[in-house]
Amino acid sequence: MDIRRKQQIVVEALEDVKGRDIVIFNTARLPSMFERVIIASGDSSRQVKALADHVRDKVTENGGKVYGVEGERGGEWVLVDLGEIVV
C-alpha cells in the first residue's frame, strides 16, 4: 500500500473516533525505521484504546499490515506499528 494512502486511512480512522490534535511528522529524511509518525489525543483511556482499535481495523480492511500494538492494557497511551508509519 502506498504510504500516502496509508496515512490518509490512519487520519480518517482517527477522525472517525473523534481523535484530537492530530499531528503528522514526516521522518523520511531522518535515519529511522519509519517514514511517518502520527500523533493524536483522546479524552479518556477508553477513547485512546478505541482510536488504536479503529486505526488497526481500518488499515487491515484496506489491505495493510499491523506489525504490533503496545500500551493497550493501560490505555494512557497506545502505539500502533504499521511499518513505515507509527501511530
Side-chain angles (χ1 to χ4, degrees), residues 22-54:
I22 299 169
V23 179
I24 301 167
F25 295 100
N26 184 343
T27 59
R29 293 187 180 180
L30 300 174
S32 67
M33 297 176 65
F34 40 84
E35 295 183 31
R36 300 284 190 285
V37 176
I38 301 175
I39 300 173
S41 298
D43 292 323
S44 66
S45 58
R46 187 176 194 171
Q47 184 186 16
V48 170
K49 185 174 177 345
L51 287 165
D53 288 344
H54 198 58

Side-chain angles (χ1 to χ4, degrees), residues 4-77:
R4 289 178 300 247
R5 175 69 181 129
K6 189 181 285 188
Q7 177 180 311
Q8 178 184 4
I9 291 166
V10 168
V11 170
E12 288 173 1
L14 293 169
E15 289 173 341
D16 285 349
V17 187
K18 308 294 186 225
R20 295 182 298 106
D21 307 322
I22 299 169
V23 179
I24 301 167
F25 295 100
N26 184 343
T27 59
R29 293 187 180 180
L30 300 174
S32 67
M33 297 176 65
F34 40 84
E35 295 183 31
R36 300 284 190 285
V37 176
I38 301 175
I39 300 173
S41 298
D43 292 323
S44 66
S45 58
R46 187 176 194 171
Q47 184 186 16
V48 170
K49 185 174 177 345
L51 287 165
D53 288 344
H54 198 58
V55 166
R56 181 176 44 210
D57 293 345
K58 287 297 182 179
V59 168
T60 303
E61 281 175 19
N62 285 279
K65 184 172 179 181
V66 177
Y67 293 95
V69 179
E70 297 290 332
E72 275 187 308
R73 184 175 296 164
E76 292 293 316
W77 59 269

